[in-house]
Amino acid sequence: MLLLCCPLPFLLLLLPLGSRPQKLPTRDEELFQMQIRDKAFFHDSSVIPDGAEISSYLFRDTPKRYFFVVEEDNTPLAVTVTPCDAPLEWKLSVQELPEEASGEGSGDPEPLEQQKQQITSEEGTELFSYKGNDVEYFVSSSSPSGLYQLDLLSTEKDTHFKVYATTTPESDQPYPELPYDPRIDVTSLGRTTVTLAWKPSPTASLLRQPIQYCIVINKEHNFKSLCAVEAKLSSDDAFMMAPKPGLDFSPFDFAHFGFPADNNSGKERGFLKSSKFGRQTSPKPRVDLHRVCIGNKNIFTVSDLKPDTQYYFDMFAVNTDTNMSTAYVGTFARTKEEAKQKTVELKDGKVTDVFIKRKGAKFLRFAPVSSHQKVTFSVHSCLDAVQIQVRRDGKLLLSQSVEGVRQFQLRGKAKAKYLIRLKGSKKGASMLKILATTRPNKQSFPSLPEDTRIKAFDKLRTCSSVTVAWLGTQERNKFCIYKREVDDNYNEEQKKREQNQCLGPDTRKKSEKVLCKYFHSQNIQKAVTTETIRGLQPGKSYLLDVYVIGHGGHSVKYQSKLVKTRKFC
């Protein structure tokens, strides 16, 4: 039987953590109040209840000691120490019980100071010691009666830890049991996904206890306990708010240890008015660590990962009744590399069609076979604007946004190689046509005016005709106009979806064609043409398109125009 060694102040704090209440000896209240004012003893002593996991903290280089009593010989005993975010040094030792503390005694409690002197007057027999950050156990099927002493020390930094002790390890089993093969298997690996599988805990499959699995993903290292994960996830170090030995506890401090604050006593003693009891800390930046609990499944796919990145995966079986956990053997994996972009070769004077996914990019290469003084790039963006970058032998020559048709002429260089990067729109997929040539007269795309709108004259509307006008250029080109009847509820959003400027007249029905004509003007101010479209129905809506066709046969569409004939004339 594991007994509390003495009526210490921590007793009241630790008992609610236990799964089974323990019978306490009576105490002298006056003596208890006198002893609780001994701050050094208050901080240096603590007790471990039987069958309950306790959470506590250590200041760096400040040892902490716990006690418990095993009253009978040949008693089973298990002690588990879980470091959280720093390695621990801990030692378990035992010494004989004082006669007054034996089971045959009167049951009257000793004065606390006298018990302390008996405890510390001689060194006990060391049973076990450990140094590291693993979850470590001491297990004995037959332990002698005595006063057991657990000493803990952190030499690295202030840290949290957990301790569990029981004299009934066979029946308690608070920690989920691991399967015979506790490893996590990586069953599938992609650029942004990793699929994990593991064998179920016997606690769930055989004992039918409520077990859920929690996966932890990060880029730094594996974790040996869920306690360490929680410490890493914490936005600030709660134990840094704890008072140093010798200072009073305030309700503010207790709130950080998970104990309820007594607001009344705090007001009486003025805890909240004084700043010396709490140290200010600034929040830490959020760590790149994710935890997800998935119930009792034993296969899971982690998604939304970055390509060509190493990730560490840990799995914890958690008993949902006790909230105690056991760690599987963690693993790590590197996601696959992003598929390398294929570089498209451009041929001199030949138009190339390019499709780019939303927010995507494409790379093209142009390597003229002969020496050249100039090189011309003509780009026709079919939908939204695209970004173009041109580098010559690694040097950036051009970086611009292109909407509609644009032409860029760059100075050439013997044996130069050009790398073109095209970046798509954030709104959606992009389509474009591109031509590269070292021959200045080789222009497949027709020249366009700055304004490619079609203007409709409202005063010239009739019940069967509409009159429109559009701008041309100094270059003689062929213009074709097409019409299509649409519903009255046809709106600008529908029109916008049909604004693929790369679709030519060959995609239209013959019945939609109105006429084709050649037009140009040496005076750019007078490069405008009008056309009256007849044979329309009264009160109907029509979508008008004008195509300009270049010498190479490639066409560019002007902005569509929605018109409506008069209903009554």
Side-chain angles (χ1 to χ4, degrees), residues 96 135 174 198 256 282 306 372 428 468 471 552:
E96 291 183 3
V135 179
W198 58 95
H256 279 269
S282 56
K306 292 182 179 180
H372 55 283
V468 295
L471 298 177

Side-chain angles (χ1 to χ4, degrees), residues 19-20 50-52 78 80 137 164-178 201-204 206-211 317-326:
S19 59
R20 299 191 300 270
D50 190 356
T80 303
Y137 313 87
Y164 173 80
T166 180
T167 55
T168 54
E170 291 298 325
S171 59
D172 283 2
Q173 296 186 346
Y175 296 99
E177 186 180 348
L178 289 177
S201 166
T203 306
L206 299 179
L207 301 180
R208 303 298 180 185
Q209 292 188 18
I211 298 295
V318 183
N319 187 322
T320 56
D321 280 349
T322 65
N323 204 32
M324 296 167 76
S325 59
T326 305

Side-chain angles (χ1 to χ4, degrees), residues 391-461:
R391 294 179 183 272
R392 184 185 64 202
D393 299 330
K395 182 181 179 181
L396 183 65
L397 301 181
L398 172 69
S399 180
Q400 283 199 26
S401 180
V402 175
E403 194 167 4
V405 176
R406 291 288 300 275
Q407 182 174 295
F408 306 98
Q409 198 168 72
L410 307 175
R411 182 177 298 177
K413 186 178 179 182
K415 298 182 181 180
K417 292 180 176 60
Y418 300 86
L419 182 67
I420 303 99
R421 181 179 184 267
L422 300 168
K423 187 176 181 182
S425 168
K426 295 180 180 179
K427 299 177 183 178
S430 301
M431 291 184 289
L432 58 95
K433 295 177 181 288
I434 185 169
L435 177 141
T437 181
T438 57
R439 292 167 282 178
N441 297 328
K442 182 70 173 179
Q443 299 299 330
S444 294
F445 297 139
S447 58
L448 289 175
E450 290 186 5
D451 190 347
T452 59
R453 291 177 298 176
I454 302 171
K455 178 177 174 58
F457 298 96
D458 187 63
K459 291 182 179 181
L460 300 179
R461 275 194 311 145

Side-chain angles (χ1 to χ4, degrees), residues 295-316:
N296 57 6
K297 296 188 296 184
N298 64 329
I299 186 168
F300 185 74
T301 298
V302 185
S303 57
D304 296 326
L305 303 176
K306 292 182 179 180
D308 194 26
T309 304
Q310 181 158 301
Y311 289 91
Y312 294 85
F313 303 95
D314 291 290
M315 175 63 57
F316 299 93

Side-chain angles (χ1 to χ4, degrees), residues 6-9 31 35 41 110-117:
C6 48
L8 297 178
L31 177 62
Q35 292 167 337
F41 183 69
E110 291 182 288
L112 196 57
E113 186 63 29
Q114 183 178 344
Q115 289 187 10
K116 177 187 174 185
Q117 290 174 358

